[in-house]
Amino acid sequence: MEAAKKYLEDMRIGDTFESREYRVDLDEIRTFAQSFDPQVFHLDEAAAAQTVFRGLAASGWHTAAITMRLLVESVPIAGGMIGVGGEISWPRPTRPGDSLHVVTRVIEIIPSQSKPDRGIVVLQGDTINQNGEICQQVTPRMLVFRRQPAEPDSNRAGAETLVGKQ
Amino acid sequence: MEAAKKYLEDMRIGDTFESREYRVDLDEIRTFAQSFDPQVFHLDEAAAAQTVFRGLAASGWHTAAITMRLLVESVPIAGGMIGVGGEISWPRPTRPGDSLHVVTRVIEIIPSQSKPDRGIVVLQGDTINQNGEICQQVTPRMLVFRRQPAEPDSNRAGAETLVGKQ
């Protein structure tokens, strides 16, 4: 059964969502790296041992892509998960055999000043391995629609971007 | 012929690198989305036309992954392109048939205070389509090694992270 999809009016700071576990195997790490990040520490175990990673590590952008998969599955936003940007960091690499899950919290809710039907919700998503260690932190700014448009605001300007004036 | 690889001592603020063009086709957009961002606006052209994207759009994380591929090819850092984090935004989506290239500029150079053999170089990478429009901006913080370790610093603490104290 799918969780009820949330509109801007339904979101509260502190709302928390948790994804399933996603196991990352060596083949998937190499396949992603061959396409998008063909560097030795993502491709060759013996050579990777001689680098600063001290062993084979997933591309950070692979961890980011897996995190997006888990966010899409676990954060029930009406209209979908539409990110306009955010901050990302990788405190430690994802390793072959890691099982990742994502814990996501609503940290800020910003109604648009120019578009009465939408706003931005800032999430914090921590991507955590089987040892409870954080492999990635991301704070995506998500476009979220209202169920009902807000009351008109005379200061509202023409809407030149997807998210309007903040 | 490969460009000479750069160490921290070789980097200057304003150094600029430009990648080749990378054509993004519909099949690649769908394949990436099926694995990592299975939402209708990345998968189905007719349904995507009814969404805020008004047509099929690549996942932002797909644009990010393509950008990484182009960075690896075009920014010659000794020891490889090792990012520890950064800010990312998607001013407009990547569309099927777009040809992307990345223009990267060095915007900050921060020697580590605790690890004499390395520092952080902050880049700004703009991912630009065939019309000169920016589809993504990213400011990755890259780990860059020195050719020769810096002089010892008595304030230097033990090094608990990959990049040391900034």
Side-chain angles (χ1 to χ4, degrees):
Chain A
M1 207 188 75
E2 212 171 321
K5 297 289 186 182
K6 288 179 186 292
Y7 289 87
L8 196 69
E9 299 93 321
D10 306 320
M11 311 285 285
R12 299 287 176 271
I13 288 171
D15 284 353
T16 301
F17 310 94
E18 191 158 345
S19 81
R20 68 174 168 102
E21 299 265 339
Y22 182 112
R23 192 171 183 283
V24 190
D25 68 24
L26 178 59
D27 277 355
E28 183 183 333
I29 289 176
R30 281 203 185 120
T31 300
F32 187 97
Q34 273 154 5
S35 293
F36 299 117
D37 193 349
Q39 301 194 91
V40 67
F41 31 73
H42 305 317
L43 291 168
D44 180 312
E45 286 193 288
Q50 307 304 315
T51 69
V52 71
F53 289 108
R54 297 179 187 181
L56 198 123
S59 169
W61 299 105
H62 189 190
T63 303
I66 291 167
T67 298
M68 186 61 193
R69 170 96 205 193
L70 295 174
L71 289 173
V72 167
E73 291 177 4
S74 61
V75 183
I77 294 181
M81 288 289 280
I82 302 171
V84 298
E87 276 219 35
I88 193 165
S89 67
W90 298 286
R92 67 176 52 67
T94 299
R95 302 290 189 177
D98 275 1
S99 270
L100 303 179
H101 72 283
V102 181
V103 177
T104 308
R105 208 161 49 88
V106 174
I107 61 172
E108 203 176 351
I109 299 171
I110 312 165
S112 173
Q113 287 179 26
S114 64
K115 295 203 167 191
D117 65 342
R118 64 192 68 177
I120 290 291
V121 172
V122 186
L123 303 175
Q124 178 176 324
D126 291 351
T127 306
I128 300 166
N129 69 17
Q130 65 285 354
N131 303 319
E133 299 163 329
I134 295 178
C135 293
Q136 181 185 282
Q137 293 195 292
V138 66
T139 50
R141 299 189 300 280
M142 310 302 299
L143 172 62
V144 180
F145 289 93
R146 288 181 185 273
R147 185 177 282 108
Q148 298 290 339
E151 289 299 307
D153 174 345
S154 58
N155 290 326
R156 219 162 257 154
E160 59 309 315
T161 69
L162 197 65
V163 297
K165 201 173 152 201
Q166 300 296 305
Chain B
M1 208 188 72
E2 213 170 321
K5 297 288 187 183
K6 288 179 186 292
Y7 289 87
L8 196 69
E9 299 93 321
D10 306 320
M11 311 285 285
R12 299 287 176 272
I13 288 171
D15 284 353
T16 301
F17 310 95
E18 189 157 345
S19 81
R20 68 174 168 103
E21 299 266 337
Y22 181 112
R23 191 170 183 283
V24 191
D25 68 23
L26 178 59
D27 276 356
E28 182 182 333
I29 289 176
R30 282 202 183 119
T31 300
F32 187 97
Q34 272 153 5
S35 293
F36 299 117
D37 193 349
Q39 302 194 89
V40 68
F41 31 73
H42 305 317
L43 291 168
D44 180 312
E45 286 193 285
Q50 307 304 314
T51 69
V52 72
F53 288 107
R54 296 177 189 183
L56 198 122
S59 170
W61 299 106
H62 189 190
T63 302
I66 291 167
T67 299
M68 185 61 191
R69 170 95 207 194
L70 295 174
L71 289 173
V72 167
E73 292 176 2
S74 61
V75 183
I77 294 182
M81 289 288 280
I82 302 172
V84 298
E87 276 220 36
I88 193 165
S89 67
W90 297 286
R92 67 175 53 67
T94 298
R95 302 291 187 176
D98 275 1
S99 270
L100 303 179
H101 72 282
V102 181
V103 176
T104 308
R105 208 161 49 89
V106 174
I107 60 172
E108 202 176 353
I109 299 171
I110 312 164
S112 174
Q113 287 180 25
S114 64
K115 296 203 167 191
D117 65 343
R118 65 192 68 177
I120 290 291
V121 172
V122 186
L123 303 175
Q124 178 176 325
D126 291 350
T127 306
I128 300 166
N129 69 16
Q130 65 284 356
N131 303 319
E133 299 163 329
I134 295 177
C135 293
Q136 180 185 283
Q137 292 194 292
V138 66
T139 51
R141 298 189 301 280
M142 310 302 299
L143 172 62
V144 180
F145 289 94
R146 287 181 185 272
R147 185 177 282 111
Q148 299 290 339
E151 290 299 308
D153 174 344
S154 58
N155 291 325
R156 219 160 257 153
E160 58 309 315
T161 69
L162 196 65
V163 296
K165 202 173 150 200
Q166 300 297 306

